[in-house]
């Protein structure tokens, strides 16, 4: 069946074409369009106008005699065009050997449809036959009309034409058998060629899908998005041999140039594509294109291809590239989901560790302190010894410290999304205000933290006086190269080299003044949650120096030191 297929043929065989289509089931669905011979037909304009008036997706078979005009599909037309030059229209109705005999005798051969409109057709012959001033009777000795049996007024028209050109005519009864075979053969050949084109397209699609599958297998195990993007761009480079490949990555409205072989980029066009509903665009130079790398819901990136090796195959390149872009979108999406799951697992592990630490504190240390208090109360009741008051006070204070540490441990596990820009000097001023001691502060900078930062700095200052027996603490704040460095230095006893690596471990206690062993562990957890670092060094000439490094917050606010 040939639904929505058109045959575009000369007006002179209208009756024969429509008769075959009406009575031959194999031709069912074929539609027809006709043209009269004219100058605009010779240069192709009339035929192009006819094609423009057809539906955008119709496939067309153009039959014309002698030299077919140079006809190309009009811009915006979606169907295909097959041009078939059959030499002479009357070749479709009778064996060529018979016609040759008549032509050699100077016979002018026509079909009934030509005779029906002989005035218009003769005018065209006189204009474009090469001898417009030479009488028809000097050029031809007779007229032969091929009778198909579909024109009841054929003899009348033949006599009119013969009398006008002053040339005798003969009628040859040819019927429709030869015409039917010839036309069926043309349609069959057209159908075969279309099937071959479809087969080629299917093969290309199959090759594209196979390549996509191999490509997916190649990057399926990748967990690094940069490596995946590099693989995608190299594949596009291999496929299309372009002069340049550019890849823009999109993540939560942020655009990042991730791969580029040269400075050339159609960034304005890329931004328009990003904000449009289209999945691709072809550049005005017609030697490259851009494709969205996406999933159903999210735009993940856009890849640009510039200066392909064979621009004439751009449509095919675009088709293959579109399939590869879909595969690429799946790969990038999987990598991002992997990292989301990985981060979620990390958070679960941290939460489990937090719960374990909290439970241990509550179930062991605080319970032990409460047992000491209860035991001391019993002894106090029996002996009325004031020494037990000191035991009770010490155990109670330790329990208070443990409870405070549990609270700070909870703060240290807070979500990074709760971080805000804060003034380090302001935080430190709030901490040291409760100490009646020799403290100095220099410098300032802004960082992204939360209220757990207060506990970190308070712990460092408290440790200096309580555990380090310091008489002075100097706090220095400075910003350099996008990093905010906070140094808390004291003149106390310092931290021995053999425990410098242990002081941040969970539960590590040293010396007679060691309390819970959680203070510096919580401080380190908190600073690392800010994506920063903390370390301990020797202070000169004596004491310890704790150094915190955090990323300085980007802001237009001017900091006063």
């Amino acid at each position: 069946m040939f639904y929505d297929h058109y045959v575009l043929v000369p007006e002179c065989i209208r009756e024969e074409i429509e008769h075959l289509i009406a009575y031959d089931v194999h031709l069912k669905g074929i539609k027809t369009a006709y043209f009269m011979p004219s100058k605009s037909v010779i240069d192709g304009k009339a035929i192009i106008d006819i094609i423009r008036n057809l539906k955008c997706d119709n496939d067309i078979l153009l039959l014309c005699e002698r030299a077919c005009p140079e006809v190309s599909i009009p811009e915006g037309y979606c169907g295909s065009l097959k041009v078939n030059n059959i030499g002479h229209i009357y070749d479709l109705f009778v064996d060529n050997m018979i016609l040759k005999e008549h032509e050699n005798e100077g016979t002018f051969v026509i079909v009934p449809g030509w005779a029906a409109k002989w005035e218009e057709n003769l005018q065209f012959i006189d204009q474009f036959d090469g001898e417009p001033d030479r009488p028809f009777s000097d050029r031809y000795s007779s007229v032969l009309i091929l009778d198909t049996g579909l024109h009841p007024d054929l003899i009348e028209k033949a006599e009119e034409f013969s009398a006008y050109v002053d040339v005798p005519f003969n009628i040859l009864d040819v019927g429709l058998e030869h015409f039917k075979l010839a036309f069926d053969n043309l349609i069959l050949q057209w159908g075969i060629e279309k099937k071959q084109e479809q087969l080629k397209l299917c093969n290309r699609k199959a090759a594209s899908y196979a390549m996509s599958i191999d490509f997916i297998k190649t990057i399926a195990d990748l967990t690094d998005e940069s490596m995946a993007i590099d693989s995608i761009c190299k594949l596009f480079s291999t496929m299309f041999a372009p002069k340049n490949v550019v890849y823009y990555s999109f993540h939560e409205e942020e655009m990042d140039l991730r791969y580029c072989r040269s400075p050339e980029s159609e960034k304005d066009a890329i931004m328009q594509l990003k904000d449009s509903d289209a999945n691709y665009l072809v550049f005005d130079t017609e030697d490259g294109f851009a494709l969205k790398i996406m999933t159903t819901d999210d735009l993940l990136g856009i890849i640009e291809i510039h200066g392909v090796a064979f621009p004439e195959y751009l449509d095919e390149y675009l088709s293959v590239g579109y399939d590869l872009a879909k595969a690429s979108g799946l790969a990038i999406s999987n990598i991002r989901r992997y990292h989301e799951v990985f981060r979620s697992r990390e958070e679960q592990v941290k939460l489990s560790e937090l719960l374990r630490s909290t439970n241990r504190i509550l179930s062991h240390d605080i319970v032990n302190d409460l047992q000491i208090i209860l035991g001391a109360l019993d002894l106090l009741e029996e002996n009325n010894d004031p020494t037990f008051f000191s035991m009770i006070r010490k155990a109670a204070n330790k329990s208070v410290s443990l409870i405070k540490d549990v609270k700070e441990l909870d703060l240290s596990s807070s979500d990074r999304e709760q971080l805000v820009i804060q003034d380090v000097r302001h935080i430190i001023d709030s901490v040291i205000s409760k100490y009646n001691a020799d403290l100095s502060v220099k410098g300032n900078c802004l960082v992204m933290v939360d209220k757990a930062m207060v506990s970190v700095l308070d712990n460092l200052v408290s440790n200096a006086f309580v555990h380090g027996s310091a008489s002075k603490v100097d706090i220095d704040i400075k910003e350099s190269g996008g990093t905010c460095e906070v140094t808390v230095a004291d003149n106390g006893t310092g931290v021995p080299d053999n425990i410098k690596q242990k002081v941040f471990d969970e539960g590590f206690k040293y010396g007679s003044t060691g309390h819970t062993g959680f203070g510096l562990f919580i401080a380190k957890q908190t600073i690392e949650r800010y994506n920063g670092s903390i370390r301990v060094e020797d202070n000169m000439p004596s004491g310890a120096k704790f150094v915190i490094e955090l990323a300085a917050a980007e802001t237009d606010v001017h900091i006063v030191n």
Side-chain angles (χ1 to χ4, degrees):
M1 298 298 179
F2 292 87
Y3 290 108
D4 289 330
H5 287 53
Y6 268 83
V7 287
L8 182 53
V9 297
E11 178 70 30
C12 62
I13 57 172
R14 176 192 286 266
E15 296 294 334
E16 288 74 17
I17 290 288
E18 294 186 352
H19 180 84
L20 290 185
I21 292 174
Y23 292 98
D24 190 339
V25 294
H26 297 100
L27 304 177
K28 186 177 180 180
I30 288 181
K31 296 179 175 62
T32 55
Y34 304 94
F35 59 89
M36 284 292 291
S38 65
K39 183 180 184 303
S40 61
V41 167
I42 293 298
D43 60 24
K45 291 180 180 178
I47 292 175
I48 291 175
D49 288 339
I50 293 172
I51 293 174
R52 282 199 182 100
N53 292 327
L54 301 180
K55 287 175 61 179
C56 176
D57 56 352
N58 292 134
D59 291 323
I60 301 169
L61 173 63
L62 170 63
L63 299 182
C64 53
E65 58 181 340
R66 301 181 184 177
C68 280
E70 293 270 341
V71 178
S72 57
I73 295 177
E75 184 177 353
Y77 193 82
C78 306
S80 65
L81 174 66
K82 163 70 175 175
V83 180
N84 200 315
N85 186 347
I86 54 178
H88 295 283
I89 288 295
Y90 49 72
D91 290 336
L92 297 173
F93 292 87
V94 68
D95 186 82
N96 186 258
M97 294 300 295
I98 297 175
L99 295 177
K100 277 293 182 184
E101 295 177 7
H102 290 280
E103 287 177 349
N104 292 338
E105 295 172 358
T107 301
F108 183 66
V109 182
I110 59 175
V111 294
W114 195 98
K117 295 185 178 182
W118 62 266
E119 294 95 341
E120 297 173 57
N121 291 314
L122 183 61
Q123 185 179 14
F124 175 75
I125 291 294
D126 288 341
Q127 290 179 355
F128 297 99
D129 204 23
E131 299 177 294
D133 298 329
R134 187 180 174 194
F136 188 89
S137 57
D138 289 349
R139 285 178 278 167
Y140 302 100
S141 60
S142 64
V143 174
L144 177 64
I145 305 174
L146 307 179
D147 185 9
T148 59
L150 299 178
H151 298 264
D153 59 346
L154 176 60
I155 294 178
E156 179 184 346
K157 290 295 182 180
E159 289 174 345
E160 290 178 5
F161 177 53
S162 176
Y164 184 82
V165 297
D166 194 24
V167 171
F169 72 91
N170 293 305
I171 294 178
L172 178 63
D173 185 9
V174 296
L176 286 172
E177 287 304 314
H178 193 281
F179 178 70
K180 182 180 184 305
L181 289 173
F183 186 71
D184 283 350
N185 182 59
L186 289 173
I187 296 298
L188 181 60
Q189 185 178 4
W190 183 32
I192 290 172
E193 290 177 359
K194 284 176 60 60
K195 293 295 183 184
Q196 289 174 337
E197 286 298 321
Q198 291 172 356
L199 181 60
K200 288 180 181 178
L201 179 61
C202 290
N203 288 336
R204 287 196 296 270
K205 282 287 186 180
S208 173
Y209 292 145
M211 186 178 302
S212 297
I213 292 171
D214 289 342
F215 171 60
I216 292 173
K217 288 179 179 178
T218 301
I219 63 174
D221 296 330
L222 294 179
T223 57
D224 187 300
E225 186 170 338
S226 296
M227 292 178 64
I229 290 172
D230 189 65
S231 297
I232 291 167
C233 293
K234 287 179 178 177
L235 175 64
F236 274 78
S237 296
T238 302
M239 287 293 301
F240 310 122
K243 294 179 181 176
N244 186 33
V245 176
V246 180
Y247 189 100
Y248 289 99
S249 178
F250 295 97
H251 202 295
E252 296 180 351
E253 298 301 320
E254 293 184 1
M255 186 174 86
D256 183 23
L257 179 62
R258 299 291 291 274
Y259 186 98
C260 187
R261 280 173 37 186
S262 82
E264 181 182 0
S265 174
E266 299 277 353
K267 190 171 182 179
D268 292 341
I270 294 304
M271 296 308 297
Q272 291 178 5
L273 176 61
K274 171 183 176 291
D275 297 329
S276 73
D277 294 329
N279 293 321
Y280 69 91
L281 67 83
V282 176
F283 298 128
D284 293 339
T285 54
E286 296 186 352
D287 66 347
F289 53 86
L291 289 161
K292 284 182 176 178
I293 308 295
M294 60 188 301
T295 61
T296 305
D297 302 319
D298 298 317
L299 175 63
L300 308 175
I302 293 179
I303 188 167
E304 290 182 70
I305 307 298
H306 293 278
V308 297
F310 301 99
E312 60 270 25
Y313 299 120
L314 193 64
D315 288 343
E316 295 183 23
Y317 289 167
L318 192 57
S319 177
V320 173
Y322 184 71
D323 291 332
L324 294 176
K326 288 190 288 187
S328 301
L330 178 63
I332 297 295
S333 176
N334 287 342
I335 289 172
R336 292 189 181 181
R337 287 179 181 175
Y338 165 81
H339 285 288
E340 288 175 3
V341 171
F342 185 78
R343 284 192 294 270
S344 177
R345 284 183 176 178
E346 281 189 326
E347 292 300 321
Q348 288 178 348
V349 170
K350 289 180 180 179
L351 181 59
S352 296
E353 292 176 352
L354 172 64
L355 290 174
R356 179 178 59 80
S357 299
T358 304
N359 286 333
R360 188 172 70 79
I361 292 171
L362 294 175
S363 64
H364 182 264
D365 292 14
I366 293 180
V367 169
N368 286 347
D369 289 339
L370 290 175
Q371 288 177 342
I372 291 173
I373 292 172
L374 291 174
L377 286 172
D378 290 339
L379 292 172
L380 177 64
E381 185 178 12
E382 293 176 3
N383 303 317
N384 196 24
D385 188 345
T387 306
F388 297 116
F389 282 111
S390 176
M391 291 175 59
I392 293 170
R393 184 176 292 106
K394 183 176 180 181
N397 286 335
K398 186 178 178 184
S399 293
V400 169
S401 296
L402 285 168
I403 293 170
K404 179 182 176 183
D405 285 345
V406 169
K407 180 181 178 182
E408 292 179 1
L409 194 60
D410 180 59
L411 285 175
S412 74
S413 63
S414 299
D415 200 320
R416 274 189 55 84
E417 292 182 359
Q418 299 178 6
L419 303 186
V420 294
I421 297 177
Q422 293 197 37
D423 183 316
V424 176
R425 180 67 171 267
H426 178 74
I427 297 173
I428 292 174
D429 287 343
S430 69
V431 169
I432 66 176
S433 63
K434 64 182 180 181
Y435 289 92
N436 185 18
D438 188 359
L439 288 141
S440 68
V441 183
K442 291 192 304 181
N444 197 10
C445 61
L446 298 179
V447 291
M448 291 286 292
V449 295
D450 54 21
K451 57 185 179 181
M453 187 65 177
V454 176
S455 297
V456 170
L457 293 169
D458 186 38
N459 181 268
L460 296 179
V461 173
S462 175
N463 285 350
F465 292 120
V466 175
H467 305 304
S469 302
S471 60
K472 180 177 176 58
V473 173
D474 296 316
I475 302 174
D476 185 41
I477 311 164
K478 60 184 178 182
E479 181 180 343
S480 177
T483 299
C484 177
E485 184 180 277
V486 181
T487 303
V488 180
D490 64 64
N491 63 350
T493 57
V495 177
D497 289 340
N498 63 325
I499 67 168
K500 278 188 171 69
Q501 299 300 318
K502 300 178 182 179
V503 293
F504 297 107
D505 291 347
E506 179 184 356
F508 178 77
K509 290 179 280 188
Y510 177 75
S512 59
T513 59
H515 279 178
T516 66
F518 284 97
L520 290 178
F521 167 72
I522 293 171
K524 186 172 186 291
Q525 293 282 99
T526 301
I527 295 302
E528 288 180 350
R529 183 165 55 84
Y530 301 153
N531 289 334
S533 65
I534 182 171
R535 64 182 185 274
V536 61
E537 301 174 353
D538 291 330
N539 190 30
M540 294 300 172
S542 66
K545 179 166 63 175
F546 286 83
V547 182
I548 298 172
E549 290 186 348
L550 297 170
E554 297 181 1
T555 177
D556 295 330
V557 177
H558 178 65
I559 302 299
V560 178
N561 293 328

